[in-house]
Amino acid sequence: MNKQTDLLRQVSIFKGLDDQGVAKLSASLRPLDFAKDALIVGQDDQGDALYIIERGRVKVVLYGESGREMILTMFRAGDFFGEMSLLDGQPRSANVLAMEDARLLVLSRDDFLRHLREEPGVAANILAEMSRRLRKADEIIGNLALLDVYGRVARLLIDLAKKEGEATDEGIVITSRPTQQDIASMIGTSRETVSRVLSEFQRRGFLQMQGKKIVLSHGFAERDFEEEDE
Ligand code: CMP
C-alpha cells in the first residue's frame, strides 16, 4: 500500500497481520527522527513506547563505571526494540543510541498492549522473537566465557558474513564492517587488541582488510584461530 505498511510487514512480530491489522497498527505510529549519536532510550528510564526502525542503525549498550561500553546488539531497518520494559513494567534494561541519522516509528505503550490483546498472532511472534534474542544472548555469554579473543573476533566475523556477506571468487565480502572500537565493545576487549588480532589474521592469510571492507578467505569458518606461538 505505502512505504510504512510495506515496512511493517517486514517486522518479525507483525508477520501474519491481515491488511486491516496492518492499517490499524500503521495509524497508531508516530515517526520520530534522531541524529547520529542521540540517546533514544536511557537505561533505567520508565518504558513508555516501542520503537520500530524505518531507517538507520542503532546499538543497545551498557556502560561500566569507567564509561567503558558493552554493545549487546545492533538493530537496523525492520527491527524493533523497547518491548522488555513494556512487558514486565520494569525500567529500560539498557541504553539505545543512534549509530547514524535514524527515523523510528513510535508505538505508545497503551497501543502496543492493545495490539497484543487484539492480535494473538502478534503475541506469539513476540515470544518467538524473544526466544531468538535469548538464544543469541546465551551464545554471546558462552563465547565470552569459553573463547579467547581470537575466537571471539572470528565468531563475530562469521556472524556478520552470514548476515550480510556476499560470496565472491576471492571469498566472502563484508562491505561495511563495524569500527574496530565497536567490534571491541561487542566482544569485551580493547580496540588495540581487535586491531592486533585483525592484523594477525591478515598476516596468516585468513582475511584481507580493504578500508571498511573485509574479505574472508575461503574456508575461514574452519580455521584454527588459536594465537600462534612466538
Ligand atoms: P527495554 O528494556 O524496554 O529498553 C532497552 C531495549 O533494548 C530492550 O527493551 C530490548 O528491546 C533491547 N535489548 C536489551 N537487551 C537486549 C539483548 N541482549 N538483545 C537484544 N535486545 C536487547
Side-chain angles (χ1 to χ4, degrees), residues 41 60 72-73 75 81-85 92-94 96 133:
V41 155
V60 178
L72 298 173
T73 194
F75 290 131
F81 59 89
E83 77 294 350
M84 288 170 60
S85 55
R92 297 290 193 191
S93 58
V96 184
R133 291 182 180 183

Side-chain angles (χ1 to χ4, degrees), residues 13 126 165 172-173 196:
I13 54 174
I126 290 205
I172 300 180
V173 178
R196 183 165 54 79

Side-chain angles (χ1 to χ4, degrees), residues 138-152 155 226:
D138 285 354
E139 191 187 316
I140 292 171
I141 295 167
N143 289 348
L144 283 173
L146 302 172
L147 295 181
D148 67 9
V149 76
Y150 288 79
R152 270 144 52 201
R155 195 67 256 162
E226 300 269 298

Side-chain angles (χ1 to χ4, degrees), residues 153-163 174 216 220-221 225:
V153 172
R155 195 67 256 162
L156 185 132
L157 294 176
I158 293 166
D159 279 356
L160 266 178
K162 271 194 204 141
K163 251 195 267 167
I174 299 166
L216 302 185
F220 180 87
F225 296 106

Side-chain angles (χ1 to χ4, degrees), residues 48-103:
D48 53 5
L50 176 92
Y51 298 87
I52 298 157
I53 306 176
E54 182 177 314
R55 166 158 42 85
R57 280 183 312 148
V58 307
K59 57 182 177 181
V60 178
V61 302
L62 298 176
Y63 292 109
E65 290 206 340
S66 59
R68 193 167 149 177
E69 179 184 85
M70 168 86 202
I71 300 181
L72 298 173
T73 194
M74 294 177 181
F75 290 131
R76 53 187 170 174
D79 288 328
F80 71 93
F81 59 89
E83 77 294 350
M84 288 170 60
S85 55
L86 302 188
L87 292 170
D88 69 5
Q90 296 291 307
R92 297 290 193 191
S93 58
N95 304 283
V96 184
L97 283 97
M99 299 176 74
E100 44 201 46
D101 290 351
R103 166 159 295 180

Side-chain angles (χ1 to χ4, degrees), residues 200-213:
E200 191 175 324
F201 282 175
Q202 176 153 266
R203 188 181 58 71
R204 289 162 77 183
F206 294 0
L207 55 78
Q208 284 170 53
M209 286 186 282
Q210 299 162 357
K212 285 245 112 192
K213 193 166 114 180

